Amino acid sequence: MEMIRRLAVQLQKVDHRWVYYVNQQWKCRWMDWLMLRITHLGGAGITLTFLGLWMLFVPSPARYWAVEGLMSLIFSHAAVRLGKHYWHRLRPYLQLSELRTFPDSLQDYSFPSGHTTAAFSIVVVWILHEPWLSCILLPPALLVGLSRIYLGLHYPTDVAVGAWLGTVFSIGCHYLFF
């Protein structure tokens, strides 16, 4: 048990160092502008609008990718809600001094990253159907995760677990339901 506690302490130190590094050392007006916009790609409004438009305007059988993506999004969001309920991890900007904060900062818990989970839960569905899309879709999904760290809203482990959850639920929905 002591070894697990020490590992958790070390992981927390690494998380803190990376948040400070990305939030402080990468700061510039261009990155502020970009990250404030990229982060919304993983938000509920963008993800649900994208899936709705895909269902309305894309012919079958690709139309059903949106249904698969919606199922992945719903199940992964439930897992995120459970994670935030059981692991009351404060957001970095609430816990660490000297982090730059941005407008519309969140007050709920940090673990895991819901925006990153949402981005991956949709992107991985498309990649499972058309693997060549990984070159186009993975960079924006990764940027959503990076933006969450840059904005001081999440730790790297929050983002990594969010990406993992989105991926796992996408694979599960792809192979179990469709």
Side-chain angles (χ1 to χ4, degrees), residues 47-64:
T47 55
L48 292 173
T49 300
F50 170 76
L51 292 172
L53 290 172
W54 189 275
M55 285 179 94
L56 286 173
F57 296 111
V58 174
S60 293
R63 169 179 289 151
Y64 297 105

Side-chain angles (χ1 to χ4, degrees), residues 112-134:
S113 170
H115 281 70
T116 307
T117 302
F120 276 83
S121 70
I122 293 172
V123 162
V124 172
V125 165
W126 265 248
I127 291 170
L128 289 169
H129 286 283
E130 293 292 342
W132 67 269
L133 288 173
S134 60

Side-chain angles (χ1 to χ4, degrees), residues 5-175:
R5 190 190 65 72
R6 279 188 281 151
L7 179 63
V9 168
Q10 288 301 321
L11 188 56
Q12 186 177 27
K13 287 179 183 177
V14 170
D15 260 355
H16 289 191
R17 272 195 306 262
W18 275 102
V19 168
Y20 275 122
Y21 178 73
V22 172
N23 181 269
Q24 298 287 309
Q25 299 301 315
W26 293 11
K27 68 180 176 184
C28 69
R29 268 189 274 155
W30 181 82
M31 285 289 283
D32 290 351
W33 181 88
L34 179 65
M35 293 294 141
L36 281 169
R37 281 145 186 85
I38 290 285
T39 202
H40 294 297
L41 292 177
I46 299 286
T47 55
L48 292 173
T49 300
F50 170 76
L51 292 172
L53 290 172
W54 189 275
M55 285 179 94
L56 286 173
F57 296 111
V58 174
S60 293
R63 169 179 289 151
Y64 297 105
W65 299 3
V67 175
E68 195 174 318
L70 182 61
M71 296 302 293
S72 175
L73 190 62
I74 289 169
F75 288 123
S76 66
H77 181 71
V80 167
R81 297 298 341 140
L82 279 172
K84 289 178 187 284
H85 178 74
Y86 286 107
W87 289 283
H88 297 160
R89 187 178 199 187
L90 290 177
R91 292 186 180 274
Y93 79 92
L94 293 172
Q95 190 174 23
L96 305 175
S97 61
E98 301 175 17
L99 281 186
R100 294 176 322 113
T101 59
F102 294 85
D104 301 324
S105 295
L106 302 170
Q107 299 298 319
D108 65 340
Y109 295 114
S110 173
F111 182 83
S113 170
H115 281 70
T116 307
T117 302
F120 276 83
S121 70
I122 293 172
V123 162
V124 172
V125 165
W126 265 248
I127 291 170
L128 289 169
H129 286 283
E130 293 292 342
W132 67 269
L133 288 173
S134 60
C135 304
I136 298 166
L137 298 178
L138 273 179
L142 290 167
L143 280 174
V144 167
L146 179 63
S147 75
R148 306 306 285 171
I149 298 167
Y150 182 87
L151 297 172
L153 297 170
H154 287 287
Y155 294 100
T157 51
D158 300 341
V159 169
V161 170
W164 178 79
L165 283 171
T167 300
V168 165
F169 280 99
S170 292
I171 293 168
C173 286
H174 180 74
Y175 289 109

